[in-house]
Amino acid sequence: MKKYNGYLIDLDGTMYRGTECIAEARDFVKELHRKGIPYLFVTNNSSRTPAQVAEKLQSFGVPATAEHVFTTSQATANYIFERKPDASVYVIGEEGIRTALEEKGFTFAKEDADFVVMGIDRSITYEKLAIACLAVRNGATFISTNADIAIPTERGLLPGNGSLTAVVAVSTQVQPIFIGKPEKVIMEQALKVLGIPREETLMIGDYYDTDIMAGMNAGIDTLLVHTGVTTKELLKQYEKQPTYTVDSLREWMDRI
Amino acid sequence: MKKYNGYLIDLDGTMYRGTECIAEARDFVKELHRKGIPYLFVTNNSSRTPAQVAEKLQSFGVPATAEHVFTTSQATANYIFERKPDASVYVIGEEGIRTALEEKGFTFAKEDADFVVMGIDRSITYEKLAIACLAVRNGATFISTNADIAIPTERGLLPGNGSLTAVVAVSTQVQPIFIGKPEKVIMEQALKVLGIPREETLMIGDYYDTDIMAGMNAGIDTLLVHTGVTTKELLKQYEKQPTYTVDSLREWMDRI
C-alpha cells in the first residue's frame, strides 16, 4: 500500500461542519503531527486570514498554526506577485483577501488598477461593483478568488463569491481567472508551500467538484471523505473516481 | 407606402441621450400628437415611475403624460397579476418597480414569497441578494425586469440589471423569466395598452438587440433609428434586418 509523505487537506466538510468539529479528522491530523508528516490546509475561504483559520482549528484541538493554512487569498496574492510585483489592485472582499494583498505590498487603486480581485464580500455595494466593471473595461486583469456559487449557513445556501463575480463577468463580458479549487493554480502553490513532491502527496476533501477535481487537475492523488457534500450516491454520477474514498478519516489512520 | 396607425417608441438613444434631447425625435412625436396617432413609450428602465419618465419628456418639450409611458416595471406587475392576483412578492429594485407592484396590491414578503422580482437597485446589498436566493430556493418564481448587462453613464458602462440578476441565477442555478425588451412579454402588454392591432403598429428604437428584436419577437414591424447604440456598421452584422432604417426620425415625418 502506497504511503504518502505529505497531505493537502480541505477544511469545511472535512475538518469541521460550520461550528462542529469532525472528531475523526482531528484525530487524523493529530497523528500526522505526531509522526512529523507535513500537512497543509487548503481552503477556498477568502474572507479570513490564516491566523484566524488556525485559531478556529486550535479551538477544536487540531494542531495548526497560521503556517499550516493556505487560503485562496494567499494564492491570489502570489499569483499577482509572480506576474507584476509592483501591481496596483482594486479589491472587493473581506479581511482575508485585503490582508493577503497588503502583505505583498501592492498599491490599491480604483478604475485604473492593473488587477481587479473579487472575493466574497458581505458588504458588497453597487459602487464597488461599478468600479470593478469600469476597471475591467479599462483593461485590468480580472481575478476571482473562487467560483463557489453558494455558502452553506444555518439560514440556507447564501450567495457565494462565484455568484457575486458573475455581476462583473456578465456586465463586462470578460471571464475572470479563478484561483481557488478546482483550479490547479491554488494546488500548484500549495504543493510548493508543502515542499513535498506531487506524486508523494495526497489531497483530502469532502466535495468532488472542488477538492477532488482540484487534485485531479493538479495531478495529485485524491481521497474523498464522505463527511460533507459529496455522498456515496452523488459520487456514482461521476465518471472519473477519486483515488480513494472513506466514510471517515478514522479509516485512513493506519495508512499514515 | 404602408401607413401605421400606432407607434411603440423606445426612450434612451431614441428620444434622448442621457440628459440631451434628440430634437428630430421630439418633432416626430409632436407630429404624431398633432395628428392624433396613438403612441406609447416602451422602456426597460425599471427604476422610475411613468409619471417621472413623462416629466423628463415634458421638460424636453415632448408631448407625454404618464399614460404615454409603459415601463418594464408595469409589465412585470401585470405579468404577476395575470398569474396570481393575491401574490406575495420579494422585490429588489428602486422606486419604479416598487410603485408598480404596490399599485397592483401585492403583499411584500421575504424568504417565503411567491415571486422574487429583480430590477436595477443601486442600493443593492448582500442581505437583499441572500433573501432573493433563499426565496428562489424555496420555490418562488424568479422574475427579472430586464436583462440589460450595462447602463451607459457619464462615468462609463455601469452594471445593469441583467448582471445583478446573475448573482441569484448563478447561485441558485434557476434562470429568471425576463420581462423587458427583447422579450415579447412587454411588447404584448404594450400592444394591449396602445389599443392598435399588431399589424398596424410600428416599433421604433435605436438598439437592435433590445428594441428591434423585441419587435421581431412580437411580430411587429420595426424601424431602427441610428441615433443610439446600433450604428450602420454594427447593423451589417445581423442577418435579419429591421423593416426600416433611418438616420433620424426627421426622415419618417412624411410617413406618418
Side-chain angles (χ1 to χ4, degrees), chain A residues 111 120-127 129-131 133-134 137 149-151 155-160 162-164 166-168 170-173, chain B residues 111 120-127 129-131 133-134 137 149-151 155-160 162-164 166-168 170-173:
Chain A
E111 284 90 332
I120 185 74
D121 186 344
R122 281 158 287 203
S123 303
I124 193 76
T125 63
Y126 186 81
E127 178 61 15
L129 294 164
I131 294 169
C133 284
L134 292 170
R137 287 183 186 274
I149 60 173
I151 301 175
R155 291 173 69 192
L157 291 169
L158 302 191
S163 63
L164 298 185
V167 176
V168 180
V170 167
S171 190
T172 63
Q173 301 184 274
Chain B
E111 284 90 333
I120 184 74
D121 186 343
R122 281 158 288 204
S123 303
I124 193 77
T125 64
Y126 186 81
E127 178 61 15
L129 294 164
I131 294 169
C133 285
L134 292 170
R137 287 182 186 276
I149 61 173
I151 300 175
R155 291 171 69 192
L157 291 170
L158 302 191
S163 62
L164 298 184
V167 176
V168 180
V170 168
S171 189
T172 63
Q173 300 184 272

Coordinates of all heavy atoms in Angstrom, one line a residue, chain A residues 111 120-127 129-131 133-134 137 149-151 155-160 162-164 166-168 170-173, chain B residues 111 120-127 129-131 133-134 137 149-151 155-160 162-164 166-168 170-173:
Chain A
E111 N -10.5 52.7 -10.7 CA -10.8 52.4 -12.1 C -9.6 52.2 -12.9 O -9.7 51.5 -14.0 CB -11.5 53.6 -12.8 CG -13.0 53.8 -12.4 CD -13.2 54.6 -11.2 OE1 -12.3 54.7 -10.3 OE2 -14.3 55.2 -11.1
I120 N -15.3 36.9 -1.7 CA -16.7 37.1 -1.1 C -16.7 38.4 -0.2 O -15.7 38.7 0.5 CB -17.0 35.9 -0.2 CG1 -18.5 36.1 0.4 CG2 -16.0 35.7 1.0 CD1 -19.5 35.8 -0.6
D121 N -17.7 39.2 -0.4 CA -17.8 40.5 0.3 C -19.3 40.7 0.7 O -20.1 41.0 -0.1 CB -17.4 41.6 -0.6 CG -17.3 43.0 0.1 OD1 -17.9 43.0 1.2 OD2 -16.7 43.9 -0.4
R122 N -19.5 40.5 2.0 CA -20.9 40.6 2.5 C -21.2 42.0 2.8 O -22.3 42.3 3.3 CB -21.0 39.6 3.7 CG -21.2 38.2 3.2 CD -20.9 37.1 4.2 NE -19.5 37.0 4.4 CZ -18.9 35.9 4.9 NH1 -19.6 34.8 5.2 NH2 -17.6 35.9 5.0
S123 N -20.3 42.9 2.4 CA -20.7 44.4 2.4 C -20.6 44.9 1.0 O -20.3 46.1 0.8 CB -19.7 45.1 3.3 OG -19.7 44.6 4.6
I124 N -21.0 44.0 0.1 CA -21.0 44.4 -1.3 C -21.9 45.6 -1.6 O -22.9 45.7 -0.9 CB -21.4 43.2 -2.2 CG1 -21.1 43.5 -3.7 CG2 -22.8 42.9 -2.1 CD1 -19.6 43.4 -4.1
T125 N -21.5 46.5 -2.5 CA -22.4 47.7 -2.8 C -22.3 47.8 -4.4 O -21.4 47.3 -5.0 CB -21.9 49.0 -2.2 OG1 -20.6 49.3 -2.8 CG2 -21.8 48.9 -0.7
Y126 N -23.3 48.6 -4.9 CA -23.3 48.8 -6.3 C -22.1 49.6 -6.7 O -21.5 49.4 -7.8 CB -24.6 49.6 -6.7 CG -24.8 49.8 -8.1 CD1 -25.3 48.8 -8.9 CD2 -24.4 51.0 -8.8 CE1 -25.5 49.0 -10.3 CE2 -24.5 51.2 -10.1 CZ -25.1 50.2 -10.9 OH -25.2 50.3 -12.2
E127 N -21.7 50.5 -5.9 CA -20.5 51.3 -6.2 C -19.2 50.5 -6.3 O -18.4 50.7 -7.2 CB -20.3 52.4 -5.1 CG -19.1 53.3 -5.4 CD -19.1 54.1 -6.7 OE1 -20.1 54.2 -7.3 OE2 -18.0 54.6 -7.1
L129 N -19.1 47.3 -7.2 CA -19.3 46.6 -8.5 C -19.1 47.5 -9.7 O -18.5 47.1 -10.7 CB -20.7 45.9 -8.5 CG -20.9 44.9 -7.5 CD1 -22.4 44.6 -7.3 CD2 -20.2 43.6 -7.9
A130 N -19.5 48.7 -9.6 CA -19.4 49.7 -10.7 C -17.9 50.0 -10.9 O -17.4 49.9 -12.1 CB -20.1 51.0 -10.3
I131 N -17.1 50.2 -9.9 CA -15.7 50.4 -10.0 C -15.0 49.2 -10.6 O -14.2 49.3 -11.5 CB -15.0 50.8 -8.7 CG1 -15.6 52.2 -8.2 CG2 -13.5 50.9 -8.8 CD1 -15.2 52.5 -6.7
C133 N -16.3 47.0 -12.6 CA -16.7 47.0 -14.1 C -15.9 48.0 -14.9 O -15.4 47.7 -15.9 CB -18.2 47.2 -14.2 SG -19.2 45.8 -13.8
L134 N -15.8 49.2 -14.3 CA -15.0 50.2 -15.1 C -13.6 49.8 -15.2 O -13.0 50.0 -16.3 CB -15.1 51.6 -14.3 CG -16.5 52.2 -14.3 CD1 -16.6 53.4 -13.4 CD2 -16.9 52.6 -15.7
R137 N -13.2 47.1 -17.8 CA -13.4 47.7 -19.1 C -12.2 48.5 -19.5 O -11.9 48.6 -20.7 CB -14.7 48.5 -19.2 CG -15.9 47.7 -19.2 CD -17.2 48.5 -19.3 NE -18.4 47.8 -19.2 CZ -19.0 47.2 -20.2 NH1 -18.5 47.2 -21.4 NH2 -20.1 46.5 -20.0
I149 N -20.5 28.9 -5.9 CA -21.8 29.6 -6.1 C -22.6 29.8 -4.9 O -23.4 30.7 -4.8 CB -22.7 28.9 -7.2 CG1 -23.0 27.5 -6.8 CG2 -21.9 28.9 -8.5 CD1 -24.0 26.8 -7.7
A150 N -22.4 29.1 -3.8 CA -23.2 29.2 -2.6 C -22.4 28.9 -1.4 O -21.4 28.2 -1.4 CB -24.4 28.2 -2.7
I151 N -22.8 29.5 -0.3 CA -22.2 29.3 1.0 C -23.2 28.7 1.9 O -24.3 29.2 2.2 CB -21.7 30.7 1.7 CG1 -20.7 31.4 0.8 CG2 -21.1 30.4 3.0 CD1 -20.4 32.8 1.3
R155 N -29.0 29.6 7.8 CA -30.2 30.1 7.1 C -30.5 29.4 5.8 O -31.6 29.5 5.2 CB -30.0 31.6 6.8 CG -30.0 32.5 8.0 CD -29.6 33.9 7.5 NE -30.7 34.5 6.8 CZ -30.5 35.7 6.1 NH1 -29.3 36.3 6.0 NH2 -31.5 36.2 5.4
G156 N -29.5 28.6 5.3 CA -29.6 28.0 4.0 C -28.4 28.4 3.1 O -27.4 28.9 3.7
L157 N -28.5 28.2 1.8 CA -27.4 28.5 0.9 C -27.5 29.9 0.5 O -28.4 30.3 -0.2 CB -27.5 27.5 -0.3 CG -27.2 26.1 0.0 CD1 -27.5 25.2 -1.2 CD2 -25.7 25.9 0.4
L158 N -26.5 30.7 0.9 CA -26.4 32.1 0.5 C -25.4 32.3 -0.6 O -24.6 31.4 -0.9 CB -26.0 32.9 1.8 CG -26.9 32.8 3.0 CD1 -26.5 33.8 4.1 CD2 -28.4 32.9 2.6
P159 N -25.5 33.5 -1.3 CA -24.7 33.7 -2.5 C -23.2 33.5 -2.2 O -22.6 34.2 -1.2 CB -25.0 35.1 -2.9 CG -26.3 35.4 -2.3 CD -26.4 34.6 -1.0
G160 N -22.5 32.7 -3.0 CA -21.0 32.6 -2.8 C -20.3 33.6 -3.8 O -20.9 34.3 -4.6
G162 N -18.5 33.1 -6.4 CA -18.7 32.8 -7.8 C -20.0 33.6 -8.3 O -20.0 34.0 -9.5
S163 N -21.0 33.7 -7.5 CA -22.2 34.4 -8.0 C -22.0 35.9 -8.0 O -22.5 36.6 -8.8 CB -23.4 33.9 -7.2 OG -23.3 34.3 -5.8
L164 N -21.3 36.4 -7.0 CA -21.0 37.9 -7.0 C -20.1 38.2 -8.2 O -20.3 39.3 -8.8 CB -20.3 38.3 -5.7 CG -21.1 38.1 -4.4 CD1 -20.3 38.7 -3.2 CD2 -22.5 38.8 -4.5
A166 N -20.1 37.0 -10.9 CA -20.9 37.0 -12.2 C -21.4 38.4 -12.6 O -21.6 38.7 -13.7 CB -22.1 36.0 -12.0
V167 N -21.6 39.3 -11.6 CA -22.1 40.6 -11.9 C -21.1 41.3 -12.9 O -21.4 41.8 -14.0 CB -22.2 41.5 -10.7 CG1 -22.6 43.0 -11.1 CG2 -23.2 41.0 -9.7
V168 N -19.8 41.2 -12.5 CA -18.8 41.9 -13.3 C -18.5 41.1 -14.6 O -18.3 41.7 -15.7 CB -17.5 42.0 -12.5 CG1 -16.4 42.7 -13.3 CG2 -17.7 42.8 -11.3
V170 N -20.7 39.2 -16.3 CA -21.8 39.4 -17.2 C -21.8 40.8 -17.8 O -22.0 41.0 -18.9 CB -23.2 39.0 -16.5 CG1 -24.3 39.5 -17.3 CG2 -23.3 37.6 -16.2
S171 N -21.6 41.8 -16.9 CA -21.7 43.2 -17.3 C -20.6 43.5 -18.3 O -20.8 44.2 -19.3 CB -21.6 44.1 -16.2 OG -21.9 45.4 -16.6
T172 N -19.3 43.0 -18.1 CA -18.2 43.4 -18.9 C -18.0 42.4 -20.0 O -17.2 42.6 -21.0 CB -16.9 43.5 -18.1 OG1 -16.6 42.2 -17.6 CG2 -17.0 44.5 -17.0
Q173 N -18.6 41.2 -19.9 CA -18.4 40.1 -20.8 C -16.9 39.6 -20.9 O -16.4 39.2 -21.9 CB -18.9 40.4 -22.2 CG -20.4 40.7 -22.2 CD -21.0 41.0 -23.5 OE1 -21.0 42.1 -24.0 NE2 -21.6 39.9 -24.1
Chain B
E111 N -38.3 35.4 2.5 CA -37.9 34.1 2.1 C -39.0 33.2 1.6 O -38.8 32.3 0.8 CB -37.2 33.3 3.2 CG -35.8 33.7 3.5 CD -35.7 34.8 4.5 OE1 -36.6 35.6 4.6 OE2 -34.6 34.9 5.2
I120 N -33.2 46.9 -11.4 CA -31.9 47.6 -11.1 C -32.1 48.2 -9.7 O -33.1 48.8 -9.4 CB -31.5 48.7 -12.1 CG1 -30.2 49.3 -11.8 CG2 -32.6 49.8 -12.2 CD1 -29.0 48.4 -12.1
D121 N -31.0 48.0 -8.8 CA -31.1 48.5 -7.5 C -29.7 49.0 -7.1 O -28.8 48.2 -6.9 CB -31.5 47.4 -6.5 CG -31.7 48.0 -5.1 OD1 -31.2 49.1 -4.8 OD2 -32.3 47.3 -4.3
R122 N -29.5 50.3 -7.2 CA -28.2 50.9 -6.9 C -27.9 51.0 -5.4 O -26.9 51.5 -4.9 CB -28.0 52.2 -7.6 CG -27.7 51.9 -9.1 CD -28.0 53.1 -10.0 NE -29.5 53.2 -10.2 CZ -30.0 53.8 -11.3 NH1 -29.3 54.3 -12.2 NH2 -31.4 53.9 -11.3
S123 N -28.9 50.4 -4.6 CA -28.6 50.2 -3.1 C -28.6 48.7 -2.8 O -29.0 48.3 -1.7 CB -29.7 50.9 -2.3 OG -29.8 52.3 -2.6
I124 N -28.1 48.0 -3.8 CA -28.1 46.5 -3.6 C -27.2 46.2 -2.4 O -26.2 46.9 -2.1 CB -27.5 45.8 -4.8 CG1 -27.7 44.3 -4.8 CG2 -26.0 46.1 -5.1 CD1 -29.1 43.9 -5.1
T125 N -27.6 45.1 -1.6 CA -26.8 44.6 -0.5 C -26.7 43.1 -0.6 O -27.5 42.5 -1.3 CB -27.4 45.0 0.9 OG1 -28.6 44.3 1.0 CG2 -27.6 46.5 1.0
Y126 N -25.7 42.6 0.2 CA -25.6 41.1 0.2 C -26.9 40.5 0.8 O -27.4 39.5 0.4 CB -24.4 40.7 1.1 CG -24.1 39.2 1.0 CD1 -23.5 38.6 0.0 CD2 -24.5 38.4 2.1 CE1 -23.2 37.3 0.0 CE2 -24.3 37.1 2.1 CZ -23.6 36.5 1.0 OH -23.4 35.1 1.0
E127 N -27.4 41.2 1.8 CA -28.6 40.7 2.5 C -29.8 40.6 1.5 O -30.6 39.6 1.5 CB -29.0 41.5 3.7 CG -30.2 41.1 4.5 CD -30.1 39.7 5.1 OE1 -29.1 39.1 5.2 OE2 -31.2 39.2 5.4
L129 N -29.6 40.2 -1.7 CA -29.3 39.0 -2.6 C -29.5 37.7 -1.9 O -30.0 36.7 -2.5 CB -27.9 39.2 -3.1 CG -27.7 40.4 -4.0 CD1 -26.2 40.7 -4.2 CD2 -28.3 40.2 -5.4
A130 N -29.2 37.7 -0.6 CA -29.3 36.4 0.2 C -30.8 36.1 0.3 O -31.2 34.9 0.1 CB -28.7 36.6 1.6
I131 N -31.6 37.0 0.6 CA -33.1 36.7 0.7 C -33.6 36.3 -0.6 O -34.4 35.3 -0.7 CB -33.8 38.0 1.2 CG1 -33.4 38.3 2.7 CG2 -35.4 37.8 1.2 CD1 -33.9 39.7 3.2
C133 N -32.0 34.7 -3.0 CA -31.6 33.3 -3.2 C -32.4 32.3 -2.4 O -32.8 31.3 -2.9 CB -30.1 33.2 -2.9 SG -29.0 33.9 -4.1
L134 N -32.6 32.7 -1.1 CA -33.4 31.8 -0.2 C -34.8 31.6 -0.8 O -35.3 30.5 -0.8 CB -33.4 32.3 1.2 CG -32.0 32.3 1.9 CD1 -32.1 33.0 3.2 CD2 -31.5 30.8 2.2
R137 N -34.7 29.4 -3.9 CA -34.5 28.0 -3.5 C -35.7 27.4 -2.8 O -36.0 26.2 -2.9 CB -33.3 27.9 -2.6 CG -32.0 28.1 -3.3 CD -30.8 27.9 -2.4 NE -29.5 28.2 -3.0 CZ -28.8 27.4 -3.7 NH1 -29.2 26.2 -3.9 NH2 -27.7 27.8 -4.3
I149 N -27.2 44.3 -19.6 CA -26.0 44.0 -18.8 C -25.3 45.3 -18.4 O -24.5 45.2 -17.4 CB -25.0 43.1 -19.6 CG1 -24.5 43.8 -20.9 CG2 -25.6 41.7 -19.9 CD1 -23.5 43.0 -21.6
A150 N -25.5 46.4 -19.0 CA -24.8 47.6 -18.6 C -25.7 48.8 -18.8 O -26.6 48.8 -19.6 CB -23.6 47.8 -19.5
I151 N -25.4 49.9 -18.0 CA -26.1 51.1 -18.1 C -25.1 52.2 -18.5 O -24.1 52.4 -17.8 CB -26.7 51.6 -16.7 CG1 -27.6 50.5 -16.2 CG2 -27.3 52.9 -16.8 CD1 -28.1 50.8 -14.8
R155 N -19.8 58.2 -16.4 CA -18.6 57.5 -15.9 C -18.2 56.4 -16.8 O -17.1 55.8 -16.6 CB -18.8 57.0 -14.5 CG -19.0 58.0 -13.4 CD -19.4 57.4 -12.1 NE -18.4 56.6 -11.5 CZ -18.6 55.7 -10.5 NH1 -19.8 55.5 -10.0 NH2 -17.6 55.0 -10.0
G156 N -19.0 55.9 -17.6 CA -18.8 54.7 -18.4 C -19.9 53.7 -18.2 O -21.0 54.1 -17.7
L157 N -19.7 52.5 -18.6 CA -20.8 51.5 -18.6 C -20.8 50.8 -17.2 O -19.9 50.1 -16.8 CB -20.6 50.4 -19.7 CG -20.8 50.9 -21.1 CD1 -20.3 49.9 -22.1 CD2 -22.3 51.3 -21.3
L158 N -21.9 51.1 -16.5 CA -22.0 50.5 -15.1 C -22.9 49.3 -15.1 O -23.6 49.0 -16.1 CB -22.6 51.6 -14.2 CG -21.8 52.9 -14.1 CD1 -22.3 53.7 -12.9 CD2 -20.3 52.6 -13.9
P159 N -22.9 48.5 -14.1 CA -23.6 47.2 -14.1 C -25.1 47.4 -14.3 O -25.8 48.2 -13.6 CB -23.4 46.6 -12.7 CG -22.1 47.3 -12.2 CD -22.1 48.6 -12.8
G160 N -25.7 46.7 -15.2 CA -27.2 46.8 -15.5 C -27.9 45.7 -14.7 O -27.2 44.8 -14.1
G162 N -29.4 43.1 -15.7 CA -29.1 41.7 -16.1 C -27.9 41.1 -15.4 O -27.8 39.9 -15.1
S163 N -26.9 42.0 -15.0 CA -25.7 41.5 -14.3 C -26.0 41.3 -12.9 O -25.5 40.3 -12.3 CB -24.5 42.4 -14.6 OG -24.8 43.7 -14.1
L164 N -26.8 42.1 -12.3 CA -27.2 41.9 -10.8 C -28.0 40.6 -10.7 O -27.9 39.8 -9.8 CB -28.0 43.1 -10.3 CG -27.3 44.4 -10.2 CD1 -28.2 45.5 -9.5 CD2 -26.0 44.4 -9.5
A166 N -27.7 38.1 -12.4 CA -26.9 36.9 -12.5 C -26.4 36.4 -11.1 O -26.2 35.2 -11.0 CB -25.6 37.3 -13.3
V167 N -26.4 37.2 -10.1 CA -26.0 36.7 -8.8 C -26.9 35.6 -8.3 O -26.5 34.5 -8.0 CB -26.0 37.8 -7.7 CG1 -25.7 37.2 -6.3 CG2 -25.0 38.9 -8.0
V168 N -28.2 35.9 -8.4 CA -29.2 34.9 -8.0 C -29.3 33.7 -9.0 O -29.5 32.6 -8.5 CB -30.6 35.6 -7.8 CG1 -31.7 34.6 -7.3 CG2 -30.5 36.8 -6.8
V170 N -26.9 32.5 -10.9 CA -25.8 31.7 -10.8 C -25.8 30.9 -9.4 O -25.5 29.7 -9.4 CB -24.5 32.5 -10.9 CG1 -23.2 31.7 -10.5 CG2 -24.3 33.0 -12.3
S171 N -26.2 31.6 -8.4 CA -26.1 30.9 -7.1 C -27.2 29.8 -6.9 O -26.9 28.8 -6.4 CB -26.3 32.0 -6.0 OG -26.1 31.4 -4.7
T172 N -28.4 30.1 -7.5 CA -29.5 29.1 -7.3 C -29.6 28.2 -8.5 O -30.3 27.2 -8.4 CB -30.9 29.8 -7.2 OG1 -31.1 30.5 -8.4 CG2 -30.9 30.8 -6.0
Q173 N -28.9 28.5 -9.6 CA -29.0 27.7 -10.8 C -30.4 27.7 -11.4 O -30.8 26.7 -12.0 CB -28.3 26.3 -10.7 CG -26.9 26.5 -10.3 CD -26.1 25.2 -10.2 OE1 -26.1 24.5 -9.1 NE2 -25.5 24.8 -11.3

